[in-house]
Amino acid sequence: SALAAIGIAQAAYPEKTITMVIPFAAGGPTDTVGRLFAQSMSNTLKQQVIVENVGGAGGTLGAARVARSAPDGYTIFLHHIGQSTAPALYRKLSYDAVTDFEPIGLVADVPMTFVARKDFPAKDLKELLAYVKANKDKVTYANAGLGSASHLCGLLFMSALQTDLTTVPYKGTGPAMNDLLGGQVDFMCDQTTNTTGQIKGGKIKAYGVTTKTKVESLPNLPTLDSSGLPGFEVVVWHGLYAPKGTPKPIVDKLVQALQIAGRDATIKQRLDDLGTDPAAQNRMTPEALRSHLKAEIDKWGPVIKKAGVYAD
Ligand code: MLT
């Protein structure tokens, strides 16, 4: 019968390559997290999990692609806090951030760093704040479009300073970092998964971290909260999703593969070096991701509306 055939197909899943959509350009922080987990999940699922970077519009183009993909388990989606800010930023989103996706689980919480090109004049956060205020029409701020984590951090920064800055949007903070290294853009707020290497290599200046506690792998960086931007906090949580309607037996296999990756020593070491770690096992569940996503939509919606920022 058809039901038996469906049952057999689900039991045999996966029988071919799985695509993990990353809604930002290759070489950025989301891509870094995605490829780490895709590699481990490939080993567990015994099928290649290949990454497809679908950048643009702050991650919403990638989300829209996944929302209309077949719910057969062969398309999955790794996105971050941007899944929760897009509903307030885009009034005409072509998808519903909650109901068009099947949550698999939380993946990692990544701190952000305030970084500038190497010869930016400010030597610490207080000087940076003063310099930006005094030169607000000159300085340029890089982000990855409305809906990106770098955009959200910038929005909070500009609200705190009561200053609007010229922002330069990229398809991801991978490309943005190239321009920061080349001095074509002045500063940005980006995740430790993308900035740690450049900070330690002395290629960019760093002023602080966006977490309330210091980041072990960047011990010399103060928290922004304690060094001039009281209350400033952004943690870039990441979630793994499938399209709505993906059958439960398939979702269960993806949850298991995610949790195995979360225990993988290589991934833990790599993420530790980059200022983060896998989400706890009990957060790598559909329920944990669904409730966190809803809580974050409720949290950031009013902040974005108050800032009066809309993408469309
Ligand atoms: C990226 O992967 O490029 C970043 O997540 C962009 C951002 O969200 O700032």
PDB file of all heavy atoms in Angstrom, residues 27-30 80 110-115 141-144 149-151 153-154 172-177 180 187-196 198-199 204 208-210 218 236:
ATOM      1  N   GLY A  27      32.498  31.213   3.940  1.00  0.00           N
ATOM      2  CA  GLY A  27      33.648  31.842   4.609  1.00  0.00           C
ATOM      3  C   GLY A  27      33.267  32.697   5.802  1.00  0.00           C
ATOM      4  O   GLY A  27      34.123  33.255   6.471  1.00  0.00           O
ATOM      5  N   GLY A  28      31.950  32.814   6.097  1.00  0.00           N
ATOM      6  CA  GLY A  28      31.536  33.610   7.260  1.00  0.00           C
ATOM      7  C   GLY A  28      31.243  32.712   8.453  1.00  0.00           C
ATOM      8  O   GLY A  28      31.399  31.490   8.370  1.00  0.00           O
ATOM      9  N   PRO A  29      30.804  33.303   9.555  1.00  0.00           N
ATOM     10  CA  PRO A  29      30.573  32.543  10.782  1.00  0.00           C
ATOM     11  C   PRO A  29      29.476  31.494  10.681  1.00  0.00           C
ATOM     12  O   PRO A  29      29.629  30.377  11.200  1.00  0.00           O
ATOM     13  CB  PRO A  29      30.215  33.622  11.802  1.00  0.00           C
ATOM     14  CG  PRO A  29      29.889  34.840  11.020  1.00  0.00           C
ATOM     15  CD  PRO A  29      30.596  34.733   9.729  1.00  0.00           C
ATOM     16  N   THR A  30      28.384  31.801   9.971  1.00  0.00           N
ATOM     17  CA  THR A  30      27.313  30.800   9.876  1.00  0.00           C
ATOM     18  C   THR A  30      27.799  29.611   9.061  1.00  0.00           C
ATOM     19  O   THR A  30      27.523  28.456   9.391  1.00  0.00           O
ATOM     20  CB  THR A  30      26.058  31.422   9.231  1.00  0.00           C
ATOM     21  OG1 THR A  30      25.794  32.673   9.855  1.00  0.00           O
ATOM     22  CG2 THR A  30      24.843  30.519   9.400  1.00  0.00           C
ATOM     23  N   HIS A  80      20.565  31.550  12.221  1.00  0.00           N
ATOM     24  CA  HIS A  80      20.835  32.015  13.581  1.00  0.00           C
ATOM     25  C   HIS A  80      19.732  32.972  14.052  1.00  0.00           C
ATOM     26  O   HIS A  80      18.590  32.891  13.580  1.00  0.00           O
ATOM     27  CB  HIS A  80      22.235  32.644  13.642  1.00  0.00           C
ATOM     28  CG  HIS A  80      22.440  33.808  12.716  1.00  0.00           C
ATOM     29  ND1 HIS A  80      21.470  34.740  12.438  1.00  0.00           N
ATOM     30  CD2 HIS A  80      23.526  34.197  11.999  1.00  0.00           C
ATOM     31  CE1 HIS A  80      21.940  35.655  11.636  1.00  0.00           C
ATOM     32  NE2 HIS A  80      23.172  35.345  11.342  1.00  0.00           N
ATOM     33  N   VAL A 110      26.773  31.877  19.845  1.00  0.00           N
ATOM     34  CA  VAL A 110      28.078  32.463  19.513  1.00  0.00           C
ATOM     35  C   VAL A 110      28.143  33.925  19.959  1.00  0.00           C
ATOM     36  O   VAL A 110      27.251  34.713  19.650  1.00  0.00           O
ATOM     37  CB  VAL A 110      28.324  32.372  17.988  1.00  0.00           C
ATOM     38  CG1 VAL A 110      29.687  32.945  17.624  1.00  0.00           C
ATOM     39  CG2 VAL A 110      28.224  30.914  17.533  1.00  0.00           C
ATOM     40  N   PRO A 111      29.191  34.283  20.702  1.00  0.00           N
ATOM     41  CA  PRO A 111      29.359  35.694  21.098  1.00  0.00           C
ATOM     42  C   PRO A 111      29.739  36.553  19.883  1.00  0.00           C
ATOM     43  O   PRO A 111      30.192  36.035  18.861  1.00  0.00           O
ATOM     44  CB  PRO A 111      30.534  35.657  22.092  1.00  0.00           C
ATOM     45  CG  PRO A 111      30.742  34.230  22.445  1.00  0.00           C
ATOM     46  CD  PRO A 111      30.260  33.430  21.274  1.00  0.00           C
ATOM     47  N   MET A 112      29.582  37.875  20.035  1.00  0.00           N
ATOM     48  CA  MET A 112      30.032  38.786  18.984  1.00  0.00           C
ATOM     49  C   MET A 112      31.132  39.683  19.526  1.00  0.00           C
ATOM     50  O   MET A 112      31.296  39.830  20.733  1.00  0.00           O
ATOM     51  CB  MET A 112      28.873  39.654  18.460  1.00  0.00           C
ATOM     52  CG  MET A 112      27.733  38.850  17.868  1.00  0.00           C
ATOM     53  SD  MET A 112      26.496  39.893  17.029  1.00  0.00           S
ATOM     54  CE  MET A 112      27.233  39.912  15.371  1.00  0.00           C
ATOM     55  N   THR A 113      31.898  40.251  18.604  1.00  0.00           N
ATOM     56  CA  THR A 113      32.988  41.158  18.984  1.00  0.00           C
ATOM     57  C   THR A 113      32.838  42.448  18.177  1.00  0.00           C
ATOM     58  O   THR A 113      32.435  42.419  17.008  1.00  0.00           O
ATOM     59  CB  THR A 113      34.356  40.530  18.605  1.00  0.00           C
ATOM     60  OG1 THR A 113      34.289  40.121  17.236  1.00  0.00           O
ATOM     61  CG2 THR A 113      34.690  39.353  19.489  1.00  0.00           C
ATOM     62  N   PHE A 114      33.199  43.551  18.818  1.00  0.00           N
ATOM     63  CA  PHE A 114      33.274  44.810  18.083  1.00  0.00           C
ATOM     64  C   PHE A 114      34.692  44.910  17.544  1.00  0.00           C
ATOM     65  O   PHE A 114      35.648  44.883  18.325  1.00  0.00           O
ATOM     66  CB  PHE A 114      32.956  45.994  19.004  1.00  0.00           C
ATOM     67  CG  PHE A 114      31.669  46.645  18.638  1.00  0.00           C
ATOM     68  CD1 PHE A 114      30.482  46.244  19.216  1.00  0.00           C
ATOM     69  CD2 PHE A 114      31.633  47.616  17.645  1.00  0.00           C
ATOM     70  CE1 PHE A 114      29.271  46.813  18.847  1.00  0.00           C
ATOM     71  CE2 PHE A 114      30.431  48.195  17.265  1.00  0.00           C
ATOM     72  CZ  PHE A 114      29.245  47.795  17.879  1.00  0.00           C
ATOM     73  N   VAL A 115      34.815  44.979  16.225  1.00  0.00           N
ATOM     74  CA  VAL A 115      36.154  44.995  15.607  1.00  0.00           C
ATOM     75  C   VAL A 115      36.245  46.134  14.590  1.00  0.00           C
ATOM     76  O   VAL A 115      35.233  46.593  14.054  1.00  0.00           O
ATOM     77  CB  VAL A 115      36.455  43.650  14.900  1.00  0.00           C
ATOM     78  CG1 VAL A 115      36.598  42.529  15.924  1.00  0.00           C
ATOM     79  CG2 VAL A 115      35.380  43.323  13.880  1.00  0.00           C
ATOM     80  N   TYR A 141      30.186  51.345   8.575  1.00  0.00           N
ATOM     81  CA  TYR A 141      29.934  50.154   9.389  1.00  0.00           C
ATOM     82  C   TYR A 141      29.493  49.028   8.463  1.00  0.00           C
ATOM     83  O   TYR A 141      28.603  49.222   7.636  1.00  0.00           O
ATOM     84  CB  TYR A 141      28.813  50.510  10.393  1.00  0.00           C
ATOM     85  CG  TYR A 141      28.348  49.367  11.236  1.00  0.00           C
ATOM     86  CD1 TYR A 141      29.001  49.045  12.412  1.00  0.00           C
ATOM     87  CD2 TYR A 141      27.281  48.569  10.839  1.00  0.00           C
ATOM     88  CE1 TYR A 141      28.596  47.972  13.183  1.00  0.00           C
ATOM     89  CE2 TYR A 141      26.873  47.497  11.604  1.00  0.00           C
ATOM     90  CZ  TYR A 141      27.520  47.194  12.767  1.00  0.00           C
ATOM     91  OH  TYR A 141      27.117  46.137  13.530  1.00  0.00           O
ATOM     92  N   ALA A 142      30.109  47.871   8.565  1.00  0.00           N
ATOM     93  CA  ALA A 142      29.773  46.736   7.691  1.00  0.00           C
ATOM     94  C   ALA A 142      28.754  45.818   8.361  1.00  0.00           C
ATOM     95  O   ALA A 142      28.807  45.618   9.578  1.00  0.00           O
ATOM     96  CB  ALA A 142      31.027  45.927   7.378  1.00  0.00           C
ATOM     97  N   ASN A 143      27.801  45.330   7.558  1.00  0.00           N
ATOM     98  CA  ASN A 143      26.948  44.260   8.087  1.00  0.00           C
ATOM     99  C   ASN A 143      26.538  43.343   6.949  1.00  0.00           C
ATOM    100  O   ASN A 143      26.954  43.536   5.803  1.00  0.00           O
ATOM    101  CB  ASN A 143      25.730  44.841   8.829  1.00  0.00           C
ATOM    102  CG  ASN A 143      24.711  45.486   7.884  1.00  0.00           C
ATOM    103  OD1 ASN A 143      24.606  45.145   6.702  1.00  0.00           O
ATOM    104  ND2 ASN A 143      23.939  46.417   8.414  1.00  0.00           N
ATOM    105  N   ALA A 144      25.732  42.340   7.269  1.00  0.00           N
ATOM    106  CA  ALA A 144      25.362  41.334   6.255  1.00  0.00           C
ATOM    107  C   ALA A 144      23.886  41.474   5.877  1.00  0.00           C
ATOM    108  O   ALA A 144      23.215  40.497   5.576  1.00  0.00           O
ATOM    109  CB  ALA A 144      25.665  39.938   6.778  1.00  0.00           C
ATOM    110  N   ALA A 149      23.036  39.058  12.008  1.00  0.00           N
ATOM    111  CA  ALA A 149      23.404  39.315  13.404  1.00  0.00           C
ATOM    112  C   ALA A 149      24.204  40.613  13.491  1.00  0.00           C
ATOM    113  O   ALA A 149      24.033  41.411  14.410  1.00  0.00           O
ATOM    114  CB  ALA A 149      24.234  38.150  13.935  1.00  0.00           C
ATOM    115  N   SER A 150      25.037  40.835  12.471  1.00  0.00           N
ATOM    116  CA  SER A 150      25.842  42.068  12.450  1.00  0.00           C
ATOM    117  C   SER A 150      24.949  43.287  12.308  1.00  0.00           C
ATOM    118  O   SER A 150      25.242  44.357  12.848  1.00  0.00           O
ATOM    119  CB  SER A 150      26.850  42.000  11.297  1.00  0.00           C
ATOM    120  OG  SER A 150      26.213  41.543  10.104  1.00  0.00           O
ATOM    121  N   HIS A 151      23.824  43.113  11.618  1.00  0.00           N
ATOM    122  CA  HIS A 151      22.870  44.241  11.524  1.00  0.00           C
ATOM    123  C   HIS A 151      22.215  44.501  12.882  1.00  0.00           C
ATOM    124  O   HIS A 151      22.139  45.633  13.360  1.00  0.00           O
ATOM    125  CB  HIS A 151      21.782  43.956  10.485  1.00  0.00           C
ATOM    126  CG  HIS A 151      20.601  44.849  10.638  1.00  0.00           C
ATOM    127  ND1 HIS A 151      19.434  44.438  11.240  1.00  0.00           N
ATOM    128  CD2 HIS A 151      20.435  46.157  10.349  1.00  0.00           C
ATOM    129  CE1 HIS A 151      18.589  45.451  11.292  1.00  0.00           C
ATOM    130  NE2 HIS A 151      19.172  46.499  10.758  1.00  0.00           N
ATOM    131  N   CYS A 153      23.279  43.784  15.860  1.00  0.00           N
ATOM    132  CA  CYS A 153      24.260  44.363  16.803  1.00  0.00           C
ATOM    133  C   CYS A 153      24.475  45.836  16.479  1.00  0.00           C
ATOM    134  O   CYS A 153      24.496  46.693  17.362  1.00  0.00           O
ATOM    135  CB  CYS A 153      25.569  43.586  16.693  1.00  0.00           C
ATOM    136  SG  CYS A 153      26.813  44.104  17.887  1.00  0.00           S
ATOM    137  N   GLY A 154      24.548  46.143  15.194  1.00  0.00           N
ATOM    138  CA  GLY A 154      24.731  47.536  14.779  1.00  0.00           C
ATOM    139  C   GLY A 154      23.544  48.397  15.152  1.00  0.00           C
ATOM    140  O   GLY A 154      23.688  49.557  15.574  1.00  0.00           O
ATOM    141  N   GLY A 172      27.463  38.463   3.500  1.00  0.00           N
ATOM    142  CA  GLY A 172      27.878  37.729   4.691  1.00  0.00           C
ATOM    143  C   GLY A 172      29.057  38.462   5.299  1.00  0.00           C
ATOM    144  O   GLY A 172      29.693  39.304   4.639  1.00  0.00           O
ATOM    145  N   THR A 173      29.394  38.135   6.550  1.00  0.00           N
ATOM    146  CA  THR A 173      30.526  38.857   7.141  1.00  0.00           C
ATOM    147  C   THR A 173      31.851  38.206   6.758  1.00  0.00           C
ATOM    148  O   THR A 173      32.905  38.714   7.117  1.00  0.00           O
ATOM    149  CB  THR A 173      30.376  38.924   8.675  1.00  0.00           C
ATOM    150  OG1 THR A 173      30.050  37.635   9.186  1.00  0.00           O
ATOM    151  CG2 THR A 173      29.309  39.939   9.063  1.00  0.00           C
ATOM    152  N   GLY A 174      31.774  37.127   5.985  1.00  0.00           N
ATOM    153  CA  GLY A 174      33.011  36.618   5.365  1.00  0.00           C
ATOM    154  C   GLY A 174      33.541  37.667   4.399  1.00  0.00           C
ATOM    155  O   GLY A 174      34.646  38.200   4.582  1.00  0.00           O
ATOM    156  N   PRO A 175      32.737  38.050   3.375  1.00  0.00           N
ATOM    157  CA  PRO A 175      33.182  39.116   2.474  1.00  0.00           C
ATOM    158  C   PRO A 175      33.424  40.451   3.191  1.00  0.00           C
ATOM    159  O   PRO A 175      34.342  41.193   2.842  1.00  0.00           O
ATOM    160  CB  PRO A 175      32.019  39.239   1.483  1.00  0.00           C
ATOM    161  CG  PRO A 175      31.255  37.975   1.586  1.00  0.00           C
ATOM    162  CD  PRO A 175      31.504  37.416   2.939  1.00  0.00           C
ATOM    163  N   ALA A 176      32.619  40.754   4.193  1.00  0.00           N
ATOM    164  CA  ALA A 176      32.814  42.019   4.934  1.00  0.00           C
ATOM    165  C   ALA A 176      34.193  42.042   5.589  1.00  0.00           C
ATOM    166  O   ALA A 176      34.886  43.062   5.583  1.00  0.00           O
ATOM    167  CB  ALA A 176      31.723  42.179   5.998  1.00  0.00           C
ATOM    168  N   MET A 177      34.597  40.893   6.118  1.00  0.00           N
ATOM    169  CA  MET A 177      35.898  40.822   6.787  1.00  0.00           C
ATOM    170  C   MET A 177      37.018  41.131   5.789  1.00  0.00           C
ATOM    171  O   MET A 177      37.993  41.817   6.139  1.00  0.00           O
ATOM    172  CB  MET A 177      36.097  39.433   7.393  1.00  0.00           C
ATOM    173  CG  MET A 177      37.431  39.224   8.093  1.00  0.00           C
ATOM    174  SD  MET A 177      37.713  40.349   9.477  1.00  0.00           S
ATOM    175  CE  MET A 177      36.788  39.492  10.753  1.00  0.00           C
ATOM    176  N   LEU A 180      37.292  44.727   5.642  1.00  0.00           N
ATOM    177  CA  LEU A 180      37.808  45.289   6.910  1.00  0.00           C
ATOM    178  C   LEU A 180      39.322  45.106   6.951  1.00  0.00           C
ATOM    179  O   LEU A 180      40.071  46.019   7.298  1.00  0.00           O
ATOM    180  CB  LEU A 180      37.144  44.576   8.095  1.00  0.00           C
ATOM    181  CG  LEU A 180      37.300  45.254   9.446  1.00  0.00           C
ATOM    182  CD1 LEU A 180      36.423  46.503   9.521  1.00  0.00           C
ATOM    183  CD2 LEU A 180      36.933  44.309  10.583  1.00  0.00           C
ATOM    184  N   PHE A 187      34.440  49.593  10.621  1.00  0.00           N
ATOM    185  CA  PHE A 187      34.264  48.634  11.721  1.00  0.00           C
ATOM    186  C   PHE A 187      32.993  47.832  11.565  1.00  0.00           C
ATOM    187  O   PHE A 187      32.169  48.112  10.698  1.00  0.00           O
ATOM    188  CB  PHE A 187      34.322  49.345  13.078  1.00  0.00           C
ATOM    189  CG  PHE A 187      33.154  50.233  13.423  1.00  0.00           C
ATOM    190  CD1 PHE A 187      32.290  49.908  14.456  1.00  0.00           C
ATOM    191  CD2 PHE A 187      32.931  51.419  12.726  1.00  0.00           C
ATOM    192  CE1 PHE A 187      31.225  50.726  14.786  1.00  0.00           C
ATOM    193  CE2 PHE A 187      31.871  52.249  13.050  1.00  0.00           C
ATOM    194  CZ  PHE A 187      31.011  51.908  14.093  1.00  0.00           C
ATOM    195  N   MET A 188      32.874  46.779  12.389  1.00  0.00           N
ATOM    196  CA  MET A 188      31.668  45.950  12.376  1.00  0.00           C
ATOM    197  C   MET A 188      31.568  45.150  13.660  1.00  0.00           C
ATOM    198  O   MET A 188      32.494  45.126  14.460  1.00  0.00           O
ATOM    199  CB  MET A 188      31.656  45.007  11.160  1.00  0.00           C
ATOM    200  CG  MET A 188      32.567  43.804  11.236  1.00  0.00           C
ATOM    201  SD  MET A 188      32.231  42.755   9.766  1.00  0.00           S
ATOM    202  CE  MET A 188      33.636  41.653   9.825  1.00  0.00           C
ATOM    203  N   CYS A 189      30.395  44.571  13.852  1.00  0.00           N
ATOM    204  CA  CYS A 189      30.157  43.703  14.997  1.00  0.00           C
ATOM    205  C   CYS A 189      29.967  42.321  14.412  1.00  0.00           C
ATOM    206  O   CYS A 189      29.058  42.121  13.601  1.00  0.00           O
ATOM    207  CB  CYS A 189      28.903  44.173  15.726  1.00  0.00           C
ATOM    208  SG  CYS A 189      28.493  43.205  17.173  1.00  0.00           S
ATOM    209  N   ASP A 190      30.863  41.398  14.723  1.00  0.00           N
ATOM    210  CA  ASP A 190      30.796  40.088  14.084  1.00  0.00           C
ATOM    211  C   ASP A 190      31.119  38.984  15.077  1.00  0.00           C
ATOM    212  O   ASP A 190      31.721  39.222  16.120  1.00  0.00           O
ATOM    213  CB  ASP A 190      31.777  40.034  12.900  1.00  0.00           C
ATOM    214  CG  ASP A 190      31.523  38.829  12.004  1.00  0.00           C
ATOM    215  OD1 ASP A 190      30.428  38.220  12.100  1.00  0.00           O
ATOM    216  OD2 ASP A 190      32.423  38.490  11.227  1.00  0.00           O
ATOM    217  N   GLN A 191      30.713  37.789  14.727  1.00  0.00           N
ATOM    218  CA  GLN A 191      30.807  36.661  15.628  1.00  0.00           C
ATOM    219  C   GLN A 191      32.231  36.142  15.816  1.00  0.00           C
ATOM    220  O   GLN A 191      33.032  36.185  14.870  1.00  0.00           O
ATOM    221  CB  GLN A 191      29.898  35.537  15.117  1.00  0.00           C
ATOM    222  CG  GLN A 191      28.420  35.959  15.078  1.00  0.00           C
ATOM    223  CD  GLN A 191      27.583  35.050  14.204  1.00  0.00           C
ATOM    224  OE1 GLN A 191      27.358  33.891  14.554  1.00  0.00           O
ATOM    225  NE2 GLN A 191      27.120  35.561  13.080  1.00  0.00           N
ATOM    226  N   THR A 192      32.516  35.666  16.994  1.00  0.00           N
ATOM    227  CA  THR A 192      33.875  35.191  17.302  1.00  0.00           C
ATOM    228  C   THR A 192      34.297  34.075  16.348  1.00  0.00           C
ATOM    229  O   THR A 192      35.482  33.899  16.091  1.00  0.00           O
ATOM    230  CB  THR A 192      33.942  34.641  18.743  1.00  0.00           C
ATOM    231  OG1 THR A 192      32.922  33.627  18.901  1.00  0.00           O
ATOM    232  CG2 THR A 192      33.729  35.738  19.761  1.00  0.00           C
ATOM    233  N   THR A 193      33.336  33.354  15.791  1.00  0.00           N
ATOM    234  CA  THR A 193      33.660  32.276  14.849  1.00  0.00           C
ATOM    235  C   THR A 193      34.294  32.833  13.579  1.00  0.00           C
ATOM    236  O   THR A 193      34.865  32.083  12.795  1.00  0.00           O
ATOM    237  CB  THR A 193      32.372  31.515  14.471  1.00  0.00           C
ATOM    238  OG1 THR A 193      31.277  32.442  14.468  1.00  0.00           O
ATOM    239  CG2 THR A 193      32.096  30.405  15.473  1.00  0.00           C
ATOM    240  N   ASN A 194      34.177  34.147  13.392  1.00  0.00           N
ATOM    241  CA  ASN A 194      34.778  34.766  12.200  1.00  0.00           C
ATOM    242  C   ASN A 194      35.916  35.719  12.553  1.00  0.00           C
ATOM    243  O   ASN A 194      36.776  35.996  11.733  1.00  0.00           O
ATOM    244  CB  ASN A 194      33.695  35.536  11.415  1.00  0.00           C
ATOM    245  CG  ASN A 194      34.128  35.849   9.993  1.00  0.00           C
ATOM    246  OD1 ASN A 194      34.823  35.059   9.359  1.00  0.00           O
ATOM    247  ND2 ASN A 194      33.763  37.036   9.511  1.00  0.00           N
ATOM    248  N   THR A 195      35.926  36.223  13.782  1.00  0.00           N
ATOM    249  CA  THR A 195      36.908  37.278  14.103  1.00  0.00           C
ATOM    250  C   THR A 195      38.090  36.784  14.940  1.00  0.00           C
ATOM    251  O   THR A 195      39.129  37.441  14.965  1.00  0.00           O
ATOM    252  CB  THR A 195      36.219  38.411  14.906  1.00  0.00           C
ATOM    253  OG1 THR A 195      35.666  37.851  16.119  1.00  0.00           O
ATOM    254  CG2 THR A 195      35.115  39.089  14.102  1.00  0.00           C
ATOM    255  N   THR A 196      37.954  35.645  15.605  1.00  0.00           N
ATOM    256  CA  THR A 196      39.000  35.200  16.541  1.00  0.00           C
ATOM    257  C   THR A 196      40.375  35.117  15.880  1.00  0.00           C
ATOM    258  O   THR A 196      41.352  35.663  16.390  1.00  0.00           O
ATOM    259  CB  THR A 196      38.622  33.834  17.151  1.00  0.00           C
ATOM    260  OG1 THR A 196      37.401  33.980  17.875  1.00  0.00           O
ATOM    261  CG2 THR A 196      39.712  33.330  18.087  1.00  0.00           C
ATOM    262  N   GLN A 198      41.538  36.540  13.165  1.00  0.00           N
ATOM    263  CA  GLN A 198      42.068  37.841  12.727  1.00  0.00           C
ATOM    264  C   GLN A 198      42.487  38.693  13.921  1.00  0.00           C
ATOM    265  O   GLN A 198      43.446  39.450  13.857  1.00  0.00           O
ATOM    266  CB  GLN A 198      40.998  38.595  11.910  1.00  0.00           C
ATOM    267  CG  GLN A 198      40.440  37.827  10.718  1.00  0.00           C
ATOM    268  CD  GLN A 198      41.485  37.512   9.653  1.00  0.00           C
ATOM    269  OE1 GLN A 198      42.636  37.908   9.768  1.00  0.00           O
ATOM    270  NE2 GLN A 198      41.091  36.786   8.618  1.00  0.00           N
ATOM    271  N   ILE A 199      41.749  38.568  15.027  1.00  0.00           N
ATOM    272  CA  ILE A 199      42.114  39.325  16.245  1.00  0.00           C
ATOM    273  C   ILE A 199      43.455  38.801  16.770  1.00  0.00           C
ATOM    274  O   ILE A 199      44.397  39.562  17.004  1.00  0.00           O
ATOM    275  CB  ILE A 199      41.027  39.192  17.328  1.00  0.00           C
ATOM    276  CG1 ILE A 199      39.729  39.889  16.893  1.00  0.00           C
ATOM    277  CG2 ILE A 199      41.518  39.773  18.659  1.00  0.00           C
ATOM    278  CD1 ILE A 199      38.523  39.594  17.775  1.00  0.00           C
ATOM    279  N   ILE A 204      43.187  42.881  12.787  1.00  0.00           N
ATOM    280  CA  ILE A 204      42.110  43.856  13.025  1.00  0.00           C
ATOM    281  C   ILE A 204      42.178  44.243  14.506  1.00  0.00           C
ATOM    282  O   ILE A 204      42.799  43.546  15.317  1.00  0.00           O
ATOM    283  CB  ILE A 204      40.694  43.258  12.733  1.00  0.00           C
ATOM    284  CG1 ILE A 204      40.464  41.960  13.507  1.00  0.00           C
ATOM    285  CG2 ILE A 204      40.480  43.085  11.247  1.00  0.00           C
ATOM    286  CD1 ILE A 204      39.081  41.360  13.321  1.00  0.00           C
ATOM    287  N   GLY A 208      35.715  44.767  22.280  1.00  0.00           N
ATOM    288  CA  GLY A 208      34.951  44.125  23.347  1.00  0.00           C
ATOM    289  C   GLY A 208      34.056  43.026  22.795  1.00  0.00           C
ATOM    290  O   GLY A 208      33.898  42.878  21.583  1.00  0.00           O
ATOM    291  N   VAL A 209      33.477  42.285  23.743  1.00  0.00           N
ATOM    292  CA  VAL A 209      32.574  41.186  23.375  1.00  0.00           C
ATOM    293  C   VAL A 209      31.153  41.533  23.797  1.00  0.00           C
ATOM    294  O   VAL A 209      30.941  42.285  24.754  1.00  0.00           O
ATOM    295  CB  VAL A 209      33.012  39.842  24.017  1.00  0.00           C
ATOM    296  CG1 VAL A 209      34.362  39.404  23.467  1.00  0.00           C
ATOM    297  CG2 VAL A 209      33.034  39.931  25.543  1.00  0.00           C
ATOM    298  N   THR A 210      30.171  40.997  23.083  1.00  0.00           N
ATOM    299  CA  THR A 210      28.763  41.369  23.304  1.00  0.00           C
ATOM    300  C   THR A 210      28.076  40.464  24.327  1.00  0.00           C
ATOM    301  O   THR A 210      26.863  40.515  24.483  1.00  0.00           O
ATOM    302  CB  THR A 210      27.969  41.274  21.989  1.00  0.00           C
ATOM    303  OG1 THR A 210      27.969  39.885  21.589  1.00  0.00           O
ATOM    304  CG2 THR A 210      28.554  42.154  20.910  1.00  0.00           C
ATOM    305  N   LEU A 218      39.277  34.750  24.142  1.00  0.00           N
ATOM    306  CA  LEU A 218      39.708  36.135  23.876  1.00  0.00           C
ATOM    307  C   LEU A 218      39.834  36.863  25.216  1.00  0.00           C
ATOM    308  O   LEU A 218      39.111  37.842  25.484  1.00  0.00           O
ATOM    309  CB  LEU A 218      38.688  36.837  22.958  1.00  0.00           C
ATOM    310  CG  LEU A 218      38.621  36.311  21.522  1.00  0.00           C
ATOM    311  CD1 LEU A 218      37.358  36.806  20.826  1.00  0.00           C
ATOM    312  CD2 LEU A 218      39.867  36.713  20.727  1.00  0.00           C
ATOM    313  N   VAL A 236      24.479  35.182  19.533  1.00  0.00           N
ATOM    314  CA  VAL A 236      23.973  34.698  18.243  1.00  0.00           C
ATOM    315  C   VAL A 236      23.705  33.196  18.334  1.00  0.00           C
ATOM    316  O   VAL A 236      24.582  32.369  18.127  1.00  0.00           O
ATOM    317  CB  VAL A 236      24.964  34.999  17.100  1.00  0.00           C
ATOM    318  CG1 VAL A 236      24.350  34.588  15.752  1.00  0.00           C
ATOM    319  CG2 VAL A 236      25.307  36.485  17.078  1.00  0.00           C
TER     320      VAL A 236
END
